[in-house]
Structure formats: structure tokens, C-alpha cells
Amino acid sequence: MTFEPDVLIAGAGPTGLMLAHELQLSGVDTVVVERLAERPGWSKALNLQPRTAELLELRGLLDRMRDDVVTTLPAGHFAGMELDYRELDTTQPWQLGIPQARVEAHLEAALASPVWRERTVEGFVQDDTGVTVTVDGSPVRARYLVGCDGGRSTVRKRAGVPFPGRDGRVSGVVADVVLADGPTGDWTLPALGTGPMTVLPLGDGAHRVLIAGAEQQVPRDTPITDDEVRRGLGEAHELVSVRWASRFTDATRLVERYREGRVLFAGDAAHIHLPAGGQGLNLGLQEAVNLGWKLAATVRGWAPDGLLDTYNAERHPVAARVLAAAQAQGVLMVPDPDVVALRGVVEELIRAAGPAMAERVAGLDVRYPIGGSHPLTGRRLPPVDRISVTGPGLGAGRGVLIGPSPVPRGWEDRVDHAKTNAALPAVLVRPDAHIAWVEGDGPLTEALARWFGGPVT
Ligand SMILES: Cc1cc2nc3c(=O)[nH]c(=O)nc-3n(C[C@H](O)[C@H](O)[C@H](O)COP(=O)(O)OP(=O)(O)OC[C@H]3O[C@@H](n4cnc5c(N)ncnc54)[C@H](O)[C@@H]3O)c2cc1C
């Protein structure tokens, strides 16, 4: 009999692999289809923000990655303005510098089923019971299809869902290079529209350089010559060789909706933006964690009505906010005296707002529109010692009720119980570690039914 997965994921980038991992936790049959025979040696992204690191830690994946961490920076930045992470209320108050290719390799190694490599998702047709996906000319039937196939997503285009926004106005070059003047710890603010640049040591003798606006309005596929990189470096550094180079732009687009029937989108397939502040990969992994348990619950048959639609309701505004921040950073890096004045004002406001901007860039300030009057409702579970957990808990992608009373009868198969010594009211935590209910916000059983379906008797 032909194998029919529950979920087919297009694309084995970080988002697709993380989603596959989330679905695997709940025993959902998943196939990841990737058109590349193997992962390229170079990496676009180089960092994990605190919220992403928290989620990887929660799932037991962070430890696997530790040996590949090149830098641990106690700060993030907004348009080059440093944001102190040290006082943030998190187990991960830093940016972990780790190449995207290594993150992907570890996620892939954690999967029980191999990725279908050198196979391309070409299109699909969906009906009431599933999606017939064309992979290299042959049909593969699945119950759901998720497009994690990057910014030029075939799945998004075939679905016909609008991708509003604007094209790039400036372009830049990212290159991993060997420099004659050897390692440097320099960070130089990239000035869009002028040329150099950020220089970041990669830890293996090479450097990442971002040459912003070196050749403006150049089509993205135009080959990058060593001379172009050399011109971008200017007098500052002598180029020995270019290992890898690619163009980026400040094109900004966000998919109109993250779901079209049985087809969903995540990661760059849903949004593109200027790679400022180290957000794109992080956004994709966080989306995968939001979507994974909801899709698993839908496939397994216990999802309450509307659960899958909360993926769009919760994540679309978060992505819109990240894109707006990337656009704002693009403007704030223009080397014009008036913009320099604006930067000064923005920096003052950032400092006056305490940790607010650091929490935002770190991904720690997200609050989902769940309702409820308690300030914790909808927010991520802060670091808290959980003692005497009755089951595998959040690490296994299950819900957890933290508090003195046990889980009401009928939900024990989906929700575990934990006690804590912390001064925390009783809380119901979803598998993505966001708080769905706080003691005092209406009956617990209503919240359980809303997020975990009806009781099983
Ligand atoms: C210069 C640059 C620097 C960046 N720096 C950072 C950073 O520091 N921090 C950060 O968080 N983000 C950064 N980003 C963004 C980050 O790299 C992306 O957001 C991230 O790669 C998105 O992951 P993804 O899995 O959604 O998509 P992708 O990484 O694009 O993966 C999509 C996968 O789908 C495959 N695919 C495509 N079409 C098909 C198909 N039809 N069938 C099968 N497979 C298909 C592709 O081969 C690919 O493997 C940077 C981006 C750029 C360009």
C-alpha cells in the first residue's frame, strides 16, 4: 500500500525541520520533502534569540547544539543599538551564535524518519479530506500540507494566497570571506545605501561581512564577483578569498493568511524582510512550535473547534510586528544627518523603556490574544521550577497544569500535572509553553475544553 503521511512538509530548512520535530513528539506521520540533495555548507542566519533557545531547551534539543555555539553574546541589537539581555527573566539571557546549517543538521538528526531529499514539491490539489501533493511528477496524498519552502514558496504561490508588501529598495551582499588582516572582533554598523559593513568573526578563521547597499537595485540573481566584495570592503580590510556570497534586499512581504484549508505556511514562506536584528530563522522556529501541537491535535482528532485557526490569529500579528521592526531598522540605518538625529531620539526612548525593546527583539514579550484578565494569560511561562511532574510534560509537547490541584478527570491523557515552589498562581500551560489560563480567570474545565478538547470518559 502506498504510504500516506498525515502531514507533508515542503522544505527542510530550519522551519520545516522544527515542525517535523514537533509533530514527531505527538506521533504524527510526517514526511519532509526537500529539493536539495544536501544542505549547503554556508549559513544565512548565525544566531538563536533567547525565546528560540528557551524552546529548544524545553524540547531537549539545545544540548545537542552546544558544541557548535561559536559566540555567546549577552546582548541583541536594534539597528545597531545594543540591547542588554543580562537582566531578562529567562534561562537563556544571551544570543547564541550558531550557524544555521548546524541548527538544521541537529534538528534533522533528531528526526526518526529521513528527509526525502532531491525531491521537489511542484503543486497540489486539496479537497475535503486531504491534499494530493505533486512531488517530482508523482502524487503523494496527505491530510495536511505545510509550506516551509522559503521566501519563493511554491506552496504559497500555488495556493494563490496574496503576499502583500513591497519589493526591495536597497540590496546588499552577505559574504563569508578570508581576510589578510586576520580575526577582528569589530562590529561596524551597516549603513544602508553607502557600502560597508558589519564584520563578524565566524570562529574558523573566516569572517562574515555584510556590505549594505554596495550595488543598489542589482537583480538578486546577479553573480557576485570578488571585486564587488573587495570594493565593498574598501580600505578597511584586505580580501584573500570569498567562500560564499549572496545578495539580500529589504523586500518586505507578509502572507495574507497562514492557512488556506488544509494548507498552511510557516517561516520565510509566510514572510520576507530585511535580515536586521537576527529575526527570520527565530520567527520560523517559533511559528513551528505554535503550529506543531495544534496540527498534531487536529490530526489525532482531539482538537477543539477552531484550534488550528488560532495559529493565524496568534502568529500573524507577531510576524507583522517583527516585519515592522525590520523596516524601521532599515530606515534608522540610513546615513543621513536627519536620520542620525532620529536614531538619537529612538535610542533615548529605548533606554527610557527599560528592558522592553530587549524583550521584544529576544522574542520574550509575545502575548497571544487569549483573553482573560490576568497579566500572565497568553504570555510564555516564565522560568519556574516544576516539581513532581506526573508525566512527560512540556518537553514531550503535552499540556501542563501547574498548581496544587490535580488535572480534572478526562484530560489526563493530554495534560500532565506539576507542582511548584514558586509564588505563581495555578496556571494551565499549552504545549508551546504559553499560559492558557490563570487561576481566577473563569472555570479551569472551560479552559481545558477550549485548548485540549472535551473530557475523555
Ligand atoms: C543574509 C541573511 C542573513 C540572515 N541572518 C539571520 C540571522 O542572523 N538570524 C535569523 O534569525 N535569521 C537570519 N536570516 C533569515 C533566515 O536565514 C531565514 O529566515 C531562514 O532561513 C528561514 O528558514 P525557513 O526554513 O523558513 O526557509 P529556508 O531556510 O529558505 O528553507 C526552505 C527550504 O525549502 C526548500 N525548498 C524550496 N522550494 C522547495 C520545493 N518546491 N520543494 C521542496 N523543497 C523546497 C529549500 O531548498 C530550503 O531548503 C538571514 C537571512 C539572510 C538572507
Side-chain angles (χ1 to χ4, degrees):
M1 201 174 72
T2 324
F3 171 56
E4 293 191 2
D6 292 321
V7 178
L8 190 147
I9 297 173
T15 307
L17 293 168
M18 188 73 197
L19 179 62
H21 186 269
E22 293 297 295
L23 294 168
Q24 175 176 288
L25 285 177
S26 303
V28 172
D29 283 334
T30 304
V31 158
V32 184
V33 178
E34 167 58 52
R35 75 173 164 208
L36 297 179
E38 58 187 39
R39 177 171 306 112
W42 43 265
S43 291
K44 290 184 285 186
L46 292 176
N47 73 326
L48 297 175
Q49 295 286 359
R51 181 54 180 162
T52 314
E54 278 186 354
L55 290 169
L56 292 169
E57 180 186 39
L58 185 72
R59 299 294 195 244
L61 292 164
L62 192 60
D63 274 347
R64 292 168 168 261
M65 301 183 184
R66 292 230 184 260
D67 286 349
D68 288 314
V69 173
V70 183
T71 51
T72 303
L73 286 175
H77 78 91
F78 184 78
M81 293 175 255
E82 191 171 301
L83 304 169
D84 192 347
Y85 283 177
R86 285 171 303 181
E87 299 303 319
L88 298 183
D89 184 23
T90 169
T91 56
Q92 304 291 325
W94 37 64
Q95 259 195 102
L96 295 177
I98 175 170
Q100 174 168 341
R102 297 308 302 154
V103 172
E104 293 176 18
H106 287 294
L107 291 174
E108 188 167 345
L111 295 181
S113 311
V115 171
W116 291 9
R117 287 196 169 270
E118 270 187 292
R119 300 179 73 172
T120 301
V121 170
E122 294 164 337
F124 65 86
V125 179
Q126 61 171 318
D127 53 49
D128 287 349
T129 57
V131 190
T132 302
V133 186
T134 306
V135 179
D136 285 350
S138 300
V140 180
R141 182 80 178 163
R143 293 173 68 188
Y144 289 88
L145 166 66
V146 189
C148 299
D149 48 347
R152 300 175 188 190
S153 169
T154 301
V155 176
R156 186 193 67 234
K157 288 176 189 163
R158 294 280 186 278
V161 178
F163 196 38
R166 66 160 175 82
D167 292 335
R169 291 178 186 148
V170 289
S171 65
V173 167
V174 58
D176 290 351
V177 299
V178 178
L179 300 173
D181 42 355
T184 158
D186 288 358
W187 272 91
T188 319
L189 179 69
L192 282 188
T194 54
M197 103 208 132
T198 305
V199 179
L200 174 67
L202 291 174
D204 62 353
H207 289 78
R208 163 69 49 96
V209 293
L210 275 173
I211 303 165
E215 306 277 333
Q216 290 189 39
Q217 309 302 339
V218 177
R220 265 197 78 186
D221 296 332
T222 310
I224 300 163
T225 62
D226 286 10
D227 266 353
E228 184 179 344
V229 175
R230 194 168 284 116
R231 278 199 306 279
L233 287 168
E235 305 280 295
H237 299 280
E238 189 186 333
L239 179 71
V240 174
S241 59
V242 178
R243 287 189 181 172
W244 163 74
S246 174
R247 291 186 198 283
F248 64 90
T249 78
D250 66 341
T252 306
R253 294 184 179 278
L254 173 59
V255 73
E256 193 175 271
R257 52 187 179 278
Y258 276 60
R259 179 180 179 192
E260 181 73 0
R262 291 176 171 271
V263 179
L264 299 115
F265 315 102
D268 279 16
H271 36 69
I272 54 169
H273 57 87
L274 181 73
Q279 297 289 303
L281 171 147
N282 289 274
L283 198 51
L285 293 191
Q286 290 162 28
E287 285 171 355
V289 174
N290 184 286
L291 173 60
W293 69 278
K294 296 171 182 174
L295 189 53
T298 307
V299 166
R300 302 303 294 260
W302 60 256
D305 281 352
L307 182 69
L308 198 50
D309 285 327
T310 65
Y311 170 54
N312 180 71
E314 293 179 350
R315 292 308 306 188
H316 195 281
V318 174
R321 201 159 173 258
V322 169
L323 263 58
Q327 284 175 287
Q329 291 183 78
V331 173
L332 286 169
M333 290 188 285
V334 173
D336 173 278
D338 289 358
V339 178
V340 172
L342 174 65
R343 273 181 75 86
V345 175
V346 170
E347 184 150 20
E348 264 181 44
L349 293 173
I350 287 175
R351 304 286 166 235
M357 188 57 101
E359 286 172 352
R360 175 172 178 170
V361 172
L364 297 173
D365 72 340
V366 170
R367 184 175 191 191
Y368 293 141
I370 286 176
S373 56
H374 197 283
L376 278 176
T377 316
R379 290 197 184 277
R380 76 192 228 290
L381 179 69
V384 50
D385 280 339
R386 295 179 282 283
I387 50 171
S388 65
V389 186
T390 57
L394 292 174
R398 292 162 59 79
V400 174
L401 176 66
I402 306 177
S405 311
V407 176
R409 283 187 60 182
W411 280 281
E412 302 95 325
D413 60 328
R414 286 151 283 167
V415 180
D416 295 322
H417 178 246
K419 289 184 180 162
T420 181
N421 289 328
L424 190 75
V427 292
L428 175 64
V429 188
R430 310 189 318 190
D432 59 354
H434 274 258
I435 295 173
W437 170 89
V438 182
E439 188 176 11
D441 263 349
L444 170 61
T445 48
E446 267 180 27
L448 282 162
R450 175 175 172 199
W451 295 104
F452 296 94
V456 175
T457 46

